[in-house]
PDB file of all heavy atoms in Angstrom:
ATOM      1  N   ASP A   1      55.869  12.525   0.628  1.00 97.00           N
ATOM      2  CA  ASP A   1      57.192  12.959   0.996  1.00 97.00           C
ATOM      3  C   ASP A   1      58.115  11.765   0.539  1.00 97.00           C
ATOM      4  O   ASP A   1      57.890  10.619   1.165  1.00 97.00           O
ATOM      5  CB  ASP A   1      57.257  13.237   2.473  1.00 97.00           C
ATOM      6  CG  ASP A   1      58.783  13.751   2.814  1.00 97.00           C
ATOM      7  OD1 ASP A   1      59.551  12.826   3.057  1.00 97.00           O
ATOM      8  OD2 ASP A   1      58.932  14.955   3.089  1.00 97.00           O
ATOM      9  N   ALA A   2      59.298  11.957  -0.089  1.00 97.00           N
ATOM     10  CA  ALA A   2      60.147  10.831  -0.541  1.00 97.00           C
ATOM     11  C   ALA A   2      60.816  10.120   0.654  1.00 97.00           C
ATOM     12  O   ALA A   2      61.155   8.956   0.586  1.00 97.00           O
ATOM     13  CB  ALA A   2      61.101  11.413  -1.511  1.00 97.00           C
ATOM     14  N   LYS A   3      61.092  10.876   1.728  1.00 96.00           N
ATOM     15  CA  LYS A   3      61.836  10.288   2.823  1.00 96.00           C
ATOM     16  C   LYS A   3      60.959   9.459   3.767  1.00 96.00           C
ATOM     17  O   LYS A   3      61.300   8.513   4.327  1.00 96.00           O
ATOM     18  CB  LYS A   3      62.406  11.422   3.745  1.00 96.00           C
ATOM     19  CG  LYS A   3      63.581  12.152   2.957  1.00 96.00           C
ATOM     20  CD  LYS A   3      64.129  13.246   3.759  1.00 96.00           C
ATOM     21  CE  LYS A   3      65.364  13.996   3.017  1.00 96.00           C
ATOM     22  NZ  LYS A   3      65.853  15.007   3.821  1.00 96.00           N
ATOM     23  N   THR A   4      59.655  10.016   3.991  1.00 96.00           N
ATOM     24  CA  THR A   4      58.779   9.350   5.009  1.00 96.00           C
ATOM     25  C   THR A   4      57.610   8.447   4.281  1.00 96.00           C
ATOM     26  O   THR A   4      57.021   7.699   5.028  1.00 96.00           O
ATOM     27  CB  THR A   4      58.160  10.421   5.909  1.00 96.00           C
ATOM     28  OG1 THR A   4      57.336  11.203   5.146  1.00 96.00           O
ATOM     29  CG2 THR A   4      59.179  11.289   6.543  1.00 96.00           C
ATOM     30  N   LEU A   5      57.359   8.715   3.147  1.00 96.00           N
ATOM     31  CA  LEU A   5      56.277   8.109   2.335  1.00 96.00           C
ATOM     32  C   LEU A   5      54.897   8.360   3.088  1.00 96.00           C
ATOM     33  O   LEU A   5      54.046   7.897   3.021  1.00 96.00           O
ATOM     34  CB  LEU A   5      56.396   6.615   2.300  1.00 96.00           C
ATOM     35  CG  LEU A   5      57.535   6.047   1.403  1.00 96.00           C
ATOM     36  CD1 LEU A   5      57.439   4.428   1.217  1.00 96.00           C
ATOM     37  CD2 LEU A   5      57.576   6.756   0.103  1.00 96.00           C
ATOM     38  N   ASP A   6      54.913   9.701   3.661  1.00 95.00           N
ATOM     39  CA  ASP A   6      53.694  10.198   4.275  1.00 95.00           C
ATOM     40  C   ASP A   6      53.241  11.438   3.292  1.00 95.00           C
ATOM     41  O   ASP A   6      54.009  11.876   2.521  1.00 95.00           O
ATOM     42  CB  ASP A   6      54.008  10.799   5.675  1.00 95.00           C
ATOM     43  CG  ASP A   6      54.125   9.692   6.627  1.00 95.00           C
ATOM     44  OD1 ASP A   6      53.445   8.543   6.438  1.00 95.00           O
ATOM     45  OD2 ASP A   6      54.948   9.843   7.731  1.00 95.00           O
ATOM     46  N   LYS A   7      52.061  11.882   3.565  1.00 94.00           N
ATOM     47  CA  LYS A   7      51.493  12.998   2.770  1.00 94.00           C
ATOM     48  C   LYS A   7      52.315  14.263   3.251  1.00 94.00           C
ATOM     49  O   LYS A   7      52.814  14.302   4.415  1.00 94.00           O
ATOM     50  CB  LYS A   7      50.040  13.387   3.293  1.00 94.00           C
ATOM     51  CG  LYS A   7      49.073  12.353   2.661  1.00 94.00           C
ATOM     52  CD  LYS A   7      47.626  12.721   2.892  1.00 94.00           C
ATOM     53  CE  LYS A   7      46.608  11.840   2.254  1.00 94.00           C
ATOM     54  NZ  LYS A   7      45.245  12.334   2.560  1.00 94.00           N
ATOM     55  N   LEU A   8      52.512  15.178   2.437  1.00 95.00           N
ATOM     56  CA  LEU A   8      53.168  16.419   2.642  1.00 95.00           C
ATOM     57  C   LEU A   8      52.266  17.240   3.608  1.00 95.00           C
ATOM     58  O   LEU A   8      51.129  17.112   3.569  1.00 95.00           O
ATOM     59  CB  LEU A   8      53.579  17.101   1.475  1.00 95.00           C
ATOM     60  CG  LEU A   8      54.888  16.507   0.805  1.00 95.00           C
ATOM     61  CD1 LEU A   8      54.433  15.485  -0.300  1.00 95.00           C
ATOM     62  CD2 LEU A   8      55.739  17.527   0.056  1.00 95.00           C
ATOM     63  N   GLY A   9      52.975  18.155   4.195  1.00 92.00           N
ATOM     64  CA  GLY A   9      52.073  19.093   5.110  1.00 92.00           C
ATOM     65  C   GLY A   9      52.295  18.668   6.493  1.00 92.00           C
ATOM     66  O   GLY A   9      53.086  17.890   6.831  1.00 92.00           O
ATOM     67  N   ASP A  10      51.320  19.228   7.320  1.00 88.00           N
ATOM     68  CA  ASP A  10      51.417  18.893   8.853  1.00 88.00           C
ATOM     69  C   ASP A  10      50.592  17.650   9.237  1.00 88.00           C
ATOM     70  O   ASP A  10      50.674  17.286  10.334  1.00 88.00           O
ATOM     71  CB  ASP A  10      50.932  20.033   9.612  1.00 88.00           C
ATOM     72  CG  ASP A  10      49.429  20.494   9.281  1.00 88.00           C
ATOM     73  OD1 ASP A  10      48.697  19.662   8.780  1.00 88.00           O
ATOM     74  OD2 ASP A  10      49.019  21.515   9.679  1.00 88.00           O
ATOM     75  N   GLY A  11      50.025  17.076   8.238  1.00 80.00           N
ATOM     76  CA  GLY A  11      49.246  15.729   8.570  1.00 80.00           C
ATOM     77  C   GLY A  11      47.959  15.938   9.170  1.00 80.00           C
ATOM     78  O   GLY A  11      47.189  15.179   9.432  1.00 80.00           O
ATOM     79  N   VAL A  12      47.568  17.278   9.446  1.00 84.00           N
ATOM     80  CA  VAL A  12      46.308  17.602  10.026  1.00 84.00           C
ATOM     81  C   VAL A  12      45.498  18.439   9.110  1.00 84.00           C
ATOM     82  O   VAL A  12      44.287  18.098   8.766  1.00 84.00           O
ATOM     83  CB  VAL A  12      46.546  18.349  11.379  1.00 84.00           C
ATOM     84  CG1 VAL A  12      45.186  18.830  11.942  1.00 84.00           C
ATOM     85  CG2 VAL A  12      47.301  17.545  12.345  1.00 84.00           C
ATOM     86  N   ASN A  13      46.005  19.531   8.623  1.00 88.00           N
ATOM     87  CA  ASN A  13      45.213  20.365   7.724  1.00 88.00           C
ATOM     88  C   ASN A  13      45.613  19.938   6.159  1.00 88.00           C
ATOM     89  O   ASN A  13      46.658  20.060   5.894  1.00 88.00           O
ATOM     90  CB  ASN A  13      45.518  21.825   7.920  1.00 88.00           C
ATOM     91  CG  ASN A  13      45.222  22.226   9.351  1.00 88.00           C
ATOM     92  OD1 ASN A  13      44.098  22.091   9.867  1.00 88.00           O
ATOM     93  ND2 ASN A  13      46.296  22.715  10.076  1.00 88.00           N
ATOM     94  N   VAL A  14      44.523  19.577   5.446  1.00 88.00           N
ATOM     95  CA  VAL A  14      44.774  19.275   4.119  1.00 88.00           C
ATOM     96  C   VAL A  14      45.389  20.409   3.303  1.00 88.00           C
ATOM     97  O   VAL A  14      46.150  20.225   2.317  1.00 88.00           O
ATOM     98  CB  VAL A  14      43.463  18.801   3.416  1.00 88.00           C
ATOM     99  CG1 VAL A  14      43.650  18.519   1.936  1.00 88.00           C
ATOM    100  CG2 VAL A  14      42.769  17.664   4.230  1.00 88.00           C
ATOM    101  N   SER A  15      44.975  21.584   3.641  1.00 92.00           N
ATOM    102  CA  SER A  15      45.567  22.755   3.029  1.00 92.00           C
ATOM    103  C   SER A  15      47.055  22.787   2.954  1.00 92.00           C
ATOM    104  O   SER A  15      47.721  23.209   2.029  1.00 92.00           O
ATOM    105  CB  SER A  15      45.078  24.032   3.668  1.00 92.00           C
ATOM    106  OG  SER A  15      45.552  24.068   4.920  1.00 92.00           O
ATOM    107  N   THR A  16      47.695  22.310   4.072  1.00 95.00           N
ATOM    108  CA  THR A  16      49.220  22.323   4.025  1.00 95.00           C
ATOM    109  C   THR A  16      49.825  21.414   3.049  1.00 95.00           C
ATOM    110  O   THR A  16      50.929  21.532   2.575  1.00 95.00           O
ATOM    111  CB  THR A  16      49.682  21.973   5.466  1.00 95.00           C
ATOM    112  OG1 THR A  16      49.328  20.726   5.877  1.00 95.00           O
ATOM    113  CG2 THR A  16      49.249  23.061   6.566  1.00 95.00           C
ATOM    114  N   GLU A  17      49.153  20.282   2.766  1.00 95.00           N
ATOM    115  CA  GLU A  17      49.708  19.403   1.717  1.00 95.00           C
ATOM    116  C   GLU A  17      49.712  20.215   0.398  1.00 95.00           C
ATOM    117  O   GLU A  17      50.788  20.043  -0.353  1.00 95.00           O
ATOM    118  CB  GLU A  17      48.652  18.144   1.563  1.00 95.00           C
ATOM    119  CG  GLU A  17      49.081  17.216   0.490  1.00 95.00           C
ATOM    120  CD  GLU A  17      48.076  16.126   0.268  1.00 95.00           C
ATOM    121  OE1 GLU A  17      46.995  16.161   0.879  1.00 95.00           O
ATOM    122  OE2 GLU A  17      48.433  15.228  -0.530  1.00 95.00           O
ATOM    123  N   TYR A  18      48.596  20.740   0.006  1.00 96.00           N
ATOM    124  CA  TYR A  18      48.541  21.402  -1.267  1.00 96.00           C
ATOM    125  C   TYR A  18      49.493  22.651  -1.351  1.00 96.00           C
ATOM    126  O   TYR A  18      50.233  22.858  -2.332  1.00 96.00           O
ATOM    127  CB  TYR A  18      47.110  22.117  -1.543  1.00 96.00           C
ATOM    128  CG  TYR A  18      46.062  21.007  -1.912  1.00 96.00           C
ATOM    129  CD1 TYR A  18      45.676  19.968  -1.095  1.00 96.00           C
ATOM    130  CD2 TYR A  18      45.479  21.044  -3.191  1.00 96.00           C
ATOM    131  CE1 TYR A  18      44.694  19.107  -1.381  1.00 96.00           C
ATOM    132  CE2 TYR A  18      44.487  20.139  -3.547  1.00 96.00           C
ATOM    133  CZ  TYR A  18      44.097  19.225  -2.643  1.00 96.00           C
ATOM    134  OH  TYR A  18      43.114  18.242  -3.030  1.00 96.00           O
ATOM    135  N   GLU A  19      49.580  23.412  -0.258  1.00 96.00           N
ATOM    136  CA  GLU A  19      50.552  24.447  -0.227  1.00 96.00           C
ATOM    137  C   GLU A  19      52.097  24.062  -0.326  1.00 96.00           C
ATOM    138  O   GLU A  19      52.749  24.590  -1.123  1.00 96.00           O
ATOM    139  CB  GLU A  19      50.483  25.168   1.103  1.00 96.00           C
ATOM    140  CG  GLU A  19      49.122  26.084   1.144  1.00 96.00           C
ATOM    141  CD  GLU A  19      48.841  26.414   2.630  1.00 96.00           C
ATOM    142  OE1 GLU A  19      49.549  26.131   3.440  1.00 96.00           O
ATOM    143  OE2 GLU A  19      47.775  27.077   2.729  1.00 96.00           O
ATOM    144  N   GLN A  20      52.440  22.954   0.310  1.00 97.00           N
ATOM    145  CA  GLN A  20      53.728  22.460   0.196  1.00 97.00           C
ATOM    146  C   GLN A  20      54.008  22.024  -1.222  1.00 97.00           C
ATOM    147  O   GLN A  20      55.162  22.185  -1.858  1.00 97.00           O
ATOM    148  CB  GLN A  20      54.140  21.461   1.184  1.00 97.00           C
ATOM    149  CG  GLN A  20      54.288  21.916   2.458  1.00 97.00           C
ATOM    150  CD  GLN A  20      55.113  20.914   3.499  1.00 97.00           C
ATOM    151  OE1 GLN A  20      55.704  20.062   3.051  1.00 97.00           O
ATOM    152  NE2 GLN A  20      54.879  21.228   4.785  1.00 97.00           N
ATOM    153  N   ILE A  21      53.113  21.205  -1.886  1.00 97.00           N
ATOM    154  CA  ILE A  21      53.322  20.665  -3.172  1.00 97.00           C
ATOM    155  C   ILE A  21      53.527  21.820  -4.131  1.00 97.00           C
ATOM    156  O   ILE A  21      54.427  21.736  -5.041  1.00 97.00           O
ATOM    157  CB  ILE A  21      52.176  19.798  -3.579  1.00 97.00           C
ATOM    158  CG1 ILE A  21      52.316  18.538  -2.788  1.00 97.00           C
ATOM    159  CG2 ILE A  21      52.230  19.489  -5.080  1.00 97.00           C
ATOM    160  CD1 ILE A  21      51.043  17.525  -2.947  1.00 97.00           C
ATOM    161  N   TYR A  22      52.674  22.843  -3.958  1.00 97.00           N
ATOM    162  CA  TYR A  22      52.701  24.056  -5.023  1.00 97.00           C
ATOM    163  C   TYR A  22      53.984  24.729  -4.750  1.00 97.00           C
ATOM    164  O   TYR A  22      54.649  25.119  -5.795  1.00 97.00           O
ATOM    165  CB  TYR A  22      51.504  24.992  -4.620  1.00 97.00           C
ATOM    166  CG  TYR A  22      51.687  26.312  -5.397  1.00 97.00           C
ATOM    167  CD1 TYR A  22      51.686  26.393  -6.827  1.00 97.00           C
ATOM    168  CD2 TYR A  22      51.910  27.468  -4.748  1.00 97.00           C
ATOM    169  CE1 TYR A  22      51.822  27.560  -7.433  1.00 97.00           C
ATOM    170  CE2 TYR A  22      52.104  28.658  -5.294  1.00 97.00           C
ATOM    171  CZ  TYR A  22      52.132  28.779  -6.685  1.00 97.00           C
ATOM    172  OH  TYR A  22      52.293  29.869  -7.459  1.00 97.00           O
ATOM    173  N   GLN A  23      54.517  24.971  -3.496  1.00 97.00           N
ATOM    174  CA  GLN A  23      55.667  25.675  -3.330  1.00 97.00           C
ATOM    175  C   GLN A  23      56.816  25.002  -3.929  1.00 97.00           C
ATOM    176  O   GLN A  23      57.724  25.578  -4.473  1.00 97.00           O
ATOM    177  CB  GLN A  23      55.922  25.824  -1.750  1.00 97.00           C
ATOM    178  CG  GLN A  23      55.038  26.845  -1.028  1.00 97.00           C
ATOM    179  CD  GLN A  23      55.046  28.256  -1.644  1.00 97.00           C
ATOM    180  OE1 GLN A  23      56.149  28.737  -2.159  1.00 97.00           O
ATOM    181  NE2 GLN A  23      53.991  28.988  -1.714  1.00 97.00           N
ATOM    182  N   LYS A  24      56.922  23.666  -3.776  1.00 97.00           N
ATOM    183  CA  LYS A  24      57.996  22.848  -4.240  1.00 97.00           C
ATOM    184  C   LYS A  24      57.996  22.976  -5.896  1.00 97.00           C
ATOM    185  O   LYS A  24      59.081  22.999  -6.431  1.00 97.00           O
ATOM    186  CB  LYS A  24      58.012  21.357  -3.781  1.00 97.00           C
ATOM    187  CG  LYS A  24      58.310  21.183  -2.383  1.00 97.00           C
ATOM    188  CD  LYS A  24      58.119  19.724  -1.921  1.00 97.00           C
ATOM    189  CE  LYS A  24      58.586  19.448  -0.542  1.00 97.00           C
ATOM    190  NZ  LYS A  24      60.026  19.427  -0.332  1.00 97.00           N
ATOM    191  N   LEU A  25      56.825  22.764  -6.333  1.00 97.00           N
ATOM    192  CA  LEU A  25      56.676  22.691  -7.815  1.00 97.00           C
ATOM    193  C   LEU A  25      56.980  24.109  -8.421  1.00 97.00           C
ATOM    194  O   LEU A  25      57.785  24.218  -9.424  1.00 97.00           O
ATOM    195  CB  LEU A  25      55.236  22.259  -8.264  1.00 97.00           C
ATOM    196  CG  LEU A  25      54.952  20.877  -8.120  1.00 97.00           C
ATOM    197  CD1 LEU A  25      53.527  20.639  -8.418  1.00 97.00           C
ATOM    198  CD2 LEU A  25      55.779  20.058  -9.143  1.00 97.00           C
ATOM    199  N   SER A  26      56.491  25.150  -7.836  1.00 96.00           N
ATOM    200  CA  SER A  26      56.645  26.450  -8.417  1.00 96.00           C
ATOM    201  C   SER A  26      58.048  26.901  -8.341  1.00 96.00           C
ATOM    202  O   SER A  26      58.519  27.667  -9.212  1.00 96.00           O
ATOM    203  CB  SER A  26      55.773  27.494  -7.562  1.00 96.00           C
ATOM    204  OG  SER A  26      56.104  27.526  -6.284  1.00 96.00           O
TER     205      SER A  26
END
């Protein structure tokens, strides 16, 4: 995440990182 420099998603479930990246890209 450009604002926080943390992984995208909820920080707990890896799936949310992939889902957010896909949604933003698509």
Side-chain angles (χ1 to χ4, degrees):
D1 183 284
K3 294 181 180 178
T4 65
L5 295 188
D6 289 329
K7 288 184 177 181
L8 284 89
D10 61 15
V12 178
N13 301 304
V14 180
S15 61
T16 61
E17 175 190 8
Y18 284 67
E19 288 165 0
Q20 283 200 20
I21 290 171
Y22 171 65
Q23 290 299 327
K24 287 176 176 289
L25 285 172
S26 61

